[in-house]
Amino acid sequence: MKKFLAMLLFALMLTTTARAAEFEMVEYSAQVKLQWLAAAGIPEAKKFLKLINRPVFFNADNLNDFKRIELTNALYQELNYAAAIEYVRKNDYHNVFDMACSLSPRAMILGEDGRKVVVGELQTVCLIGDWCLEEFGSKNAIKNVEYKAFWLQDKQGMMESAKNFKGEICIIEQGVSIYLTKDALAQMFENIRDLLKKNGGCLITSDFTQKKYFHDVAAALYGENQAPTIYAETKAMYEKVYDDKISDDYLQNEQEAMDFLKTHGLIARKVPLFTSTPKLNIYSKLTPEQIQNVNALARKNYLWVITAL
Ligand SMILES: C[S@@+](CC[C@H](N)C(=O)[O-])C[C@H]1O[C@@H](n2cnc3c(N)ncnc32)[C@H](O)[C@@H]1O
């Protein structure tokens, strides 16, 4: 009995340590994302930042070329944020599973619409998310949005968190693939396939075009010549936050990604980010030429709609 208790305690300590370490690296990326969305002018992101009240990581004093990095990342994040909202609304999904989106301004908006939204995140992010909901969520958002803690590679956790969805769901996942090991990523897609088979619906993501897409966002603002530098600087910045190297080449080749999805019982079609010209908050900070470039970008097929085979 004593031996069993000692083993249990040891297992618990390991889980706790792993979770703490995982949060440490991701908490920062979650916060940086809010920093960019706030810089784009998203009011909900500003509210989250105000409430969590932590020092802003990156600014002109500690990052070379801060202005260009900030504007590019702010645009990239707002495009993702707004494209997912548009997709859900256009297709009128009543159920939204926002996975690994950290503290989610998007969930507030979609919950406010009256849609049921589950935000799937790590435990610590969920605790802060619940607190933010209580503090500044509207009545509708509080009623419809829930943070649920599970690891993306944990099938039971994912299925359990989705069990109250009735009917088709739109799963949103953005920007987490590069942080997962190949095994964890494969398991995440297996779990998503099972969920889509059970409920119907789709997963939307731009993870499989992330590298080209981000490059094109930088080019829309500062021209083709500058885009590789801005990409490299942004990658270095995230590696600093993450405190490790980021492998951003895996599954960035379209055929390779389609084959990967097929082996996991999934199929993708590519659709434009927006079906009509978007109205973005960040436009107030852009020149007319930059806005024109962004509008052209908005019609490109960076969004993958993935369904179960
Ligand atoms: C870089 S952020 C991605 C944020 C957002 N999706 C975006 O568009 O930028 C990564 C988020 O994924 C969460 N995350 C990372 N690994 C995870 C895992 N194995 N299971 C669940 N969530 C995870 C982190 O807590 C973090 O908020």
Side-chain angles (χ1 to χ4, degrees):
M1 183 67 178
K2 262 190 186 162
K3 202 170 158 196
F4 173 74
L5 281 176
M7 275 165 64
L8 192 68
L9 192 65
F10 182 62
L12 267 175
M13 273 164 60
L14 275 185
T15 319
T16 314
T17 319
R19 290 212 165 199
E22 178 119 0
F23 184 66
E24 211 164 284
M25 92 210 178
V26 290
E27 182 193 16
Y28 301 141
S29 65
Q31 192 188 324
V32 173
K33 180 190 125 178
L34 288 174
Q35 183 182 336
W36 303 139
L37 283 175
I42 311 284
E44 280 68 24
K46 291 183 189 169
K47 288 185 200 165
F48 275 112
L49 276 184
K50 190 162 175 239
L51 194 60
I52 63 177
N53 189 26
R54 306 215 177 148
V56 165
F57 287 118
F58 293 113
N59 52 58
D61 295 333
N62 61 25
L63 204 63
N64 286 335
D65 205 7
F66 175 70
K67 233 177 117 233
R68 293 197 314 176
I69 292 179
E70 181 182 49
L71 199 65
T72 308
N73 279 278
L75 173 58
Y76 179 69
Q77 290 293 345
E78 187 176 3
L79 283 168
N80 289 338
Y81 162 88
I85 291 177
E86 197 216 58
Y87 190 87
V88 169
R89 284 179 170 164
K90 278 257 152 74
N91 294 280
D92 201 17
Y93 275 99
H94 294 259
N95 299 311
V96 179
F97 203 177
D98 206 351
M99 279 188 199
C101 63
S102 72
L103 298 170
S104 181
R106 182 167 54 209
M108 291 280 196
I109 301 290
L110 293 172
E112 172 74 35
D113 280 358
R115 300 168 210 281
K116 185 167 177 48
V117 188
V118 172
V119 182
E121 256 293 348
L122 302 183
Q123 181 82 45
T124 331
V125 178
C126 289
L127 292 175
I128 306 176
D130 282 339
W131 172 54
C132 292
L133 257 175
E134 272 169 39
E135 290 294 321
F136 67 85
S138 67
K139 231 169 131 188
N140 240 6
I142 292 172
K143 190 173 132 216
N144 294 317
V145 179
E146 271 182 293
Y147 281 79
K148 297 262 192 186
F150 66 93
W151 297 74
L152 292 165
Q153 56 272 46
D154 164 16
K155 182 173 296 186
Q156 212 189 332
M158 191 186 285
M159 299 304 264
E160 180 68 24
S161 302
K163 74 170 189 225
N164 291 333
F165 285 133
K166 301 269 176 291
E168 295 195 340
I169 49 183
C170 183
I171 305 171
I172 306 170
E173 185 281 300
Q174 201 88 50
V176 83
S177 301
I178 49 171
Y179 293 98
L180 298 181
T181 62
K182 286 185 184 175
D183 283 351
L185 191 67
Q187 186 60 57
M188 175 182 93
F189 277 100
E190 296 263 323
N191 302 347
I192 287 173
R193 186 225 26 234
D194 285 2
L195 191 53
L196 290 177
K197 276 207 165 209
K198 181 168 172 272
N199 279 66
C202 67
L203 159 73
I204 53 172
T205 185
S206 57
D207 277 10
F208 298 112
T209 51
Q210 185 166 32
K211 206 168 172 181
K212 165 136 188 42
Y213 170 26
F214 189 93
H215 176 285
D216 291 350
V217 170
L221 296 178
Y222 299 107
E224 274 295 332
N225 286 345
Q226 298 304 313
T229 309
I230 297 170
Y231 183 89
E233 287 173 345
T234 296
K235 185 175 167 192
M237 177 200 68
Y238 273 102
E239 285 178 337
K240 208 162 149 190
V241 171
Y242 183 52
D243 198 21
D244 203 352
K245 291 271 170 242
I246 287 175
S247 49
D248 56 349
D249 281 326
Y250 185 50
L251 299 179
Q252 292 301 299
N253 168 288
E254 187 176 321
Q255 194 52 51
E256 195 194 342
M258 292 285 182
D259 290 345
F260 168 87
L261 290 171
K262 203 167 162 201
T263 55
H264 294 291
L266 294 160
I267 188 161
R269 66 193 165 85
K270 300 186 299 168
V271 302
L273 283 174
F274 296 90
T275 51
S276 52
T277 307
K279 290 189 182 67
L280 301 176
N281 290 274
I282 202 168
Y283 281 174
S284 65
K285 300 186 175 162
L286 305 185
T287 65
E289 193 193 340
Q290 286 173 325
I291 293 176
Q292 211 181 351
N293 294 341
V294 175
N295 286 340
L297 197 76
R299 289 192 287 276
K300 292 202 176 168
N301 287 349
Y302 295 121
L303 205 59
W304 287 32
V305 178
I306 299 174
T307 47
L309 271 169

